[in-house]
Amino acid sequence: ALGRADGLALVVTGVGYTVFAYRGAKAGAAPAVTEEFQEAILQSRLPARDAALIAGGIVALVVGAESLVGGAITVAGALGVDQAVIALTVIAIGTSLPELATSVVAARKEQADVAFGNVIGSNTLNILAVLGVSALIHPFAVEGIRPLDLGMLVGTAVLVLLLMARG
């Protein structure tokens, strides 16, 4: 079972990872990039509008997530498909589309480090923060990894390694 203590450990690790990544990026950042970032923050003339957009985005995210999960469960039931299959396909695609869009834009701009960092950071925080917060809210049983899940994990890792080896 993944209890509240486990969830807290995951969340603390996620925060630590974020701080570590931030400090590493800040230490390696070029002064021009840092200056441009600071200027962009100072030029934000509508903080109330920005806060409203963030709040609206959070509400839309919650409503969209509820709709996605509810729809996936309905589809799984209607098709007689195991919910794990739906989770590995529909839910995975739906939750990965923002990262995919960011990575595609970064790749088109020939910023492979942004694309790679986006994928690694997103997956790391999904495991640590999302799983951790979920366990904090409601502890749940962990059944272990199934052969299908393990096969997908290993297959994807091998594919990524092959692609990285090509440069």
Side-chain angles (χ1 to χ4, degrees):
L2 200 59
R4 286 191 170 90
D6 302 317
L8 182 61
L10 288 170
V11 169
V12 168
T13 304
V15 170
Y17 166 76
T18 303
V19 169
F20 175 77
Y22 173 77
R23 286 185 178 163
K26 189 174 178 184
V33 173
T34 304
E35 185 179 324
E36 182 181 344
F37 180 73
Q38 293 297 334
E39 283 181 28
I41 289 175
L42 293 174
Q43 289 178 357
S44 177
R45 296 189 179 145
L46 301 171
R49 178 178 175 260
D50 293 344
L53 287 172
I54 290 170
I58 291 171
V59 169
L61 179 67
V62 170
V63 170
E66 288 287 334
S67 298
L68 178 65
V69 171
I73 290 170
T74 302
V75 168
L79 296 176
V81 176
D82 184 45
Q83 287 184 5
V85 172
I86 297 296
L88 285 170
T89 55
V90 176
I91 300 293
I93 291 169
T95 58
S96 297
L97 285 177
E99 284 83 12
L100 178 62
T102 302
S103 294
V104 166
V105 169
R108 284 186 173 203
K109 293 182 177 183
E110 296 182 2
Q111 295 179 338
D113 54 339
V114 173
F116 189 73
N118 177 50
V119 171
I120 298 299
S122 172
N123 285 305
T124 302
L125 280 179
N126 277 340
I127 291 168
L128 296 173
V130 175
L131 195 59
V133 170
S134 298
L136 280 173
I137 294 170
H138 190 283
F140 53 90
V142 179
E143 298 176 12
I145 193 164
R146 297 177 311 172
L148 174 64
D149 301 331
L150 182 60
M152 291 296 292
L153 173 68
V154 171
T156 303
V158 168
L159 176 63
V160 169
L161 286 173
L162 290 172
L163 292 172
M164 288 174 62
R166 285 187 12 180

